[in-house]
Amino acid sequence: MKKWTVAAFRAAKGTQKLGCCTAYDSCFARLADEAGVPCILVGDSMGMMTLGHATTLPVKMEETLSATAAVARAVKDALVVADMPFGSYQCGDDLAMANAVACLKAGADAVKLEGGATVCGLIRRMTAAGIPVLAHVGMMPQSVNVYGGFRKQGKTREAAEQVLADAKAVEEAGAFAVTLECVPAELAAEITAALRIVTVGIGAGPVCDAQWLVMHDLLGLNEGHVPSFVRQYAHLASEAKRAFAAYVAEVAAGTFPPAEGAART
Ligand code: KIV
């Protein structure tokens, strides 16, 4: 397989639908990469999936950089996108630029940030500086406190027009792709038809050019709330628990470790 570049990702629009996912460490990033996942997002969902937070808001820039470096060290072919955490691009454009540069220095090929028209200046500046940007409109988890919960967006015609306008604005500003999170499928289809850039849907129906799934949902590692749009392609949580329990029981029973020279199972 050859390396997925931003140009190759762009060129996939209309020719190939792309199943993309998150990863937060070298081990799982290597597995996803070797399995042919074209784009791996070091999502700020790591706050909820691996750090035990209730939202993505507490994720720190240092945590994103550390996870991005771990993922980038393992990946050969996938496009690696670092998801800029809350606070890393809202407190002034110079700080945002420095943080985006740090993401690329850590090994990311591109950064992702949430927002429509309000972040277009930043998208223009980053793109001009050589930092490819994957935008994110619709339900933006970093705005959970504004919504009062993780709520589907774009449900009224007026709200849908706003999401469409934001998607067009980030395209115009230079984003190479845009995430459409938790918006009605018809709206995602309308946006996908209206844009020249790749739309990456999550909870946004089947018509998007690409899809995201959070890795812990995809692999069935997440035993908490699983959104209704998720399909679990494995059930690793129960398999991991079975293995842990078997190990504890074998140590207690004295059957592990085996006597020297005994066969390994
Ligand atoms: O952090 C994340 O996992 C994301 C995806 C839901 C797109 O932003």
Side-chain angles (χ1 to χ4, degrees):
M1 262 183 286
K2 67 174 174 36
K3 171 73 185 167
W4 277 91
T5 59
V6 164
F9 198 78
R10 270 178 178 280
K13 183 159 180 116
T15 65
Q16 187 184 358
K17 292 238 189 191
L18 305 172
C20 309
C21 70
T22 64
Y24 319 105
D25 63 30
S26 292
C27 173
F28 281 109
R30 180 174 294 109
L31 297 178
D33 185 57
E34 288 179 2
V37 173
C39 176
I40 295 178
L41 174 68
V42 187
D44 62 356
S45 50
M46 95 175 106
M48 299 167 83
M49 296 300 133
T50 70
L51 301 175
H53 298 302
T55 70
T56 60
L57 301 184
V59 175
K60 300 184 183 80
M61 196 58 212
E62 309 89 83
E63 290 164 339
T64 295
L65 292 178
S66 164
T68 299
V71 167
R73 279 193 289 272
V75 164
K76 288 196 172 64
D77 298 323
L79 189 72
V80 175
V81 180
D83 200 6
M84 297 193 67
F86 181 62
S88 70
Y89 60 98
Q90 289 90 347
C91 307
D93 286 4
D94 288 347
L95 179 60
M97 289 300 293
N99 285 330
V101 166
C103 288
L104 264 63
K105 285 190 186 289
D109 299 306
V111 300
K112 177 169 90 58
L113 46 87
E114 298 181 7
T118 53
V119 293
C120 281
L122 209 41
I123 294 175
R124 262 189 213 98
R125 193 168 158 193
M126 286 181 182
T127 308
I131 303 166
V133 178
L134 198 160
H136 184 147
V137 302
M139 205 280 280
M140 296 175 281
Q142 292 176 11
S143 297
V144 61
N145 289 330
V146 176
Y147 306 139
F150 295 106
R151 306 237 159 83
K152 194 169 200 155
Q153 299 296 306
K155 289 203 289 189
T156 63
R157 194 58 225 170
E158 196 187 354
E161 291 292 351
Q162 184 59 57
V163 179
L164 175 62
D166 279 335
K168 286 183 174 169
V170 296
E171 170 176 87
E172 197 276 322
F176 72 92
V178 58
T179 295
L180 306 178
E181 180 161 1
C182 290
V183 296
E186 314 74 59
L187 173 59
E190 187 183 348
I191 295 173
T192 300
L195 298 190
R196 295 178 308 280
I197 59 173
V198 170
T199 58
V200 196
I202 175 160
V207 177
C208 295
D209 301 304
Q211 297 288 330
W212 292 123
L213 273 182
V214 167
M215 188 192 70
H216 286 55
D217 291 336
L218 187 167
L219 296 180
L221 273 166
N222 177 12
E223 289 198 305
H225 167 72
V226 177
S228 56
F229 58 80
V230 164
R231 183 169 293 166
Q232 293 184 316
Y233 288 87
H235 298 282
L236 297 193
S238 50
E239 177 60 8
K241 274 201 214 169
R242 188 205 56 72
F244 286 131
Y247 165 65
V248 169
E250 288 200 357
V251 171
T255 54
F256 180 84
E260 208 126 306
R264 199 174 156 196
T265 57

